[in-house]
Amino acid sequence: MKIKMKCLCWVALLWTGCTTTDPDAGPEGQQGWPAQPELPVVAGHETFSVAGDEFAVNVMGEMQPRSPKFPSLAVRKGFLRGYVADLTGKPVKGAYIGARVTVVGGTYSGASAESDENGYYEIDLPIGAVHYYATGYTIDYGGGRAVVGLTPADDNTSGFASETGMVKNFVLQSYGVGNKDNVLQQPGNPSNYYGGAISFDYQVDWDNNVPNYLPEDGEIEIDLIPDGVGFYGETKSFKVYKKIGYSGLAILNVPVGKYTIKARLRGGSELRITESGTYANAYPHFGLKPRTAVGTAGILFTPSWQVTPGMVPAHRGNWQAVILRLERI
C-alpha cells in the first residue's frame, strides 16, 4: 500500500528526497547524514491469549522502531535546533517546528522555523522556559487524511531553559509506545501508542436465552492480516484469543496500514462484525469496510477526532480505536 505524507502545524512536514550536506547548519558546519542501518523486520505471525478479566493487548509489546541516525549537531545557547527525518533516515524539507516559551508573569509566546532541504531547522528563542506541547502530521492514508503524532528521537519531551539551548530531532513512527508513564496509568488508551487500535464490544448471554449474544463460556478468535505492506514495510499478522468473561477487548499498537480482520467463536461459527460508537459514520475513509460484515472485512485505523496538527499532544500517536460490535448470527 502506498502512503503519501504531508505534515502540518507545530511540526508540519512535506516529505521529499534526501540530500547530504548542510552548509547553513551552524558555525561548526555539517558533515552530512550518516549511513542508515536497515529497519528491523516486522514480519511473521504472533498469537496472544487474553483472559476473561483482561481487556487489552499491546501486540507490539515493548518493541520500538529503530530511530534514524541524525547528523551530529552542537547545542547553541538561545536556540532550538535539530533535524526532521522519516523512519528510514530521509531528511525532510519544509518541516514547521513550533515551541511554546513561558516568560516572566506566566505569559507565553510561540517561536517557529521551517526545515531546509537537508531537514535542518533552527529557532531563535525568546528568553524563558521552553516546552513542546504539540507535534502533528497530516498524512494521506487509505483514501483520506489523518493527523498523527510525532515523536522526539531521544524519547524525551522535558522542557529546557531557552538561554541553555537544545538540540531536538523528530521522527515519525508507525508503531511503538509513547510516554511510558502514560501507558502505565492508561494501558488501554489508544493514543498512548503510535500504532492503530481496535476495540471490541459484545453482549454476553448469561441466561442462555438471547441467541445473538455471545456465550459466557466461549472464546473469541480474532485475526488481523496485513493487506499489503504497512507504513514502513511491516507485514506481521496477529491472532488474538479472548475469553469472553466480563470485559471487552482492545487490540492496541498495531503497525499502521490496511488489514483484513476475521472474527469467529473459537471452534465455532463466524461472528457478525458491525462498526459502532460515536464516530462510526463520521470518517468515511476509515474504519470497517463494509460497515457490517459476517466473519471477514477490511479495516483502516481511525484518526482521533482532533484534526488540527497543532493540537495533538506531545508524545502521543493520535489514533482512536475503531469500535466493533460482535454478535452471533
Side-chain angles (χ1 to χ4, degrees), residues 100-312:
R100 185 168 63 189
V101 183
T102 304
V103 297
V104 177
T107 61
Y108 66 86
S109 60
S112 64
E114 288 192 2
S115 60
D116 63 18
E117 64 273 11
N118 301 304
Y120 176 77
Y121 74 92
E122 183 177 283
I123 303 173
D124 189 352
L125 297 166
I127 296 176
V130 184
H131 296 276
Y132 309 100
Y133 76 95
T135 59
Y137 288 122
T138 298
I139 64 171
D140 294 329
Y141 170 58
R145 292 172 66 76
V147 176
V148 297
L150 183 75
T151 186
D154 61 2
D155 197 36
N156 184 358
T157 53
S158 299
F160 65 96
S162 62
E163 57 267 30
T164 303
M166 175 70 72
V167 170
K168 183 66 68 172
N169 302 316
F170 291 96
V171 64
L172 175 70
Q173 292 186 190
S174 54
Y175 66 91
V177 174
N179 186 295
K180 294 180 181 179
D181 291 335
N182 290 342
V183 171
L184 288 174
Q185 296 171 18
Q186 296 180 312
N189 185 339
S191 66
N192 286 333
Y193 308 89
Y194 292 106
I198 307 170
S199 179
F200 297 89
D201 186 24
Y202 49 83
Q203 298 289 335
V204 181
D205 188 12
W206 300 109
D207 299 322
N208 199 30
N209 61 5
V210 185
N212 63 314
Y213 287 4
L214 304 192
E216 62 175 302
D217 58 348
E219 192 170 5
I220 301 165
E221 179 180 334
I222 302 293
D223 285 288
L224 285 175
I225 305 164
D227 184 1
V229 297
F231 231 58
Y232 292 105
E234 300 93 342
T235 59
K236 191 171 187 177
S237 62
F238 307 94
K239 182 184 287 289
V240 179
Y241 294 110
K242 170 67 170 71
K243 293 285 187 181
I244 289 174
Y246 290 90
S247 67
L249 170 66
I251 300 178
L252 304 163
N253 200 21
V254 185
V256 176
K258 183 179 180 181
Y259 288 80
T260 294
I261 184 170
K262 297 182 178 182
R264 63 186 305 120
L265 289 174
R266 187 171 187 177
S269 60
E270 295 179 323
L271 296 172
R272 177 179 289 110
I273 316 167
T274 304
E275 188 173 353
S276 62
T278 304
Y279 301 105
N281 297 308
Y283 295 91
H285 298 288
F286 311 115
L288 197 71
K289 303 292 183 180
R291 300 297 183 185
T292 297
V294 175
T296 302
I299 192 167
L300 285 165
F301 301 117
T302 302
S304 170
W305 61 270
Q306 181 52 260
V307 296
T308 304
M311 297 301 292
V312 178

Side-chain angles (χ1 to χ4, degrees), residues 21-167:
T21 61
D22 188 5
D24 300 319
E28 73 278 17
Q30 177 51 239
Q31 299 303 313
W33 284 78
Q36 301 291 330
E38 292 184 3
L39 287 170
V41 175
V42 182
H45 179 82
E46 191 164 0
T47 299
F48 301 86
S49 294
V50 183
D53 58 353
E54 296 177 327
F55 67 93
V57 56
N58 166 11
V59 295
M60 294 304 293
E62 295 299 314
M63 182 178 178
Q64 295 284 84
R66 170 193 60 74
S67 181
K69 289 186 176 182
F70 291 88
S72 176
L73 191 63
V75 174
R76 185 178 177 186
K77 292 182 179 181
F79 286 82
L80 172 61
R81 59 205 300 240
Y83 291 90
V84 184
D86 71 9
L87 199 58
T88 67
K90 181 185 295 183
V92 174
K93 179 182 178 181
Y96 182 84
I97 311 297
R100 185 168 63 189
V101 183
T102 304
V103 297
V104 177
T107 61
Y108 66 86
S109 60
S112 64
E114 288 192 2
S115 60
D116 63 18
E117 64 273 11
N118 301 304
Y120 176 77
Y121 74 92
E122 183 177 283
I123 303 173
D124 189 352
L125 297 166
I127 296 176
V130 184
H131 296 276
Y132 309 100
Y133 76 95
T135 59
Y137 288 122
T138 298
I139 64 171
D140 294 329
Y141 170 58
R145 292 172 66 76
V147 176
V148 297
L150 183 75
T151 186
D154 61 2
D155 197 36
N156 184 358
T157 53
S158 299
F160 65 96
S162 62
E163 57 267 30
T164 303
M166 175 70 72
V167 170

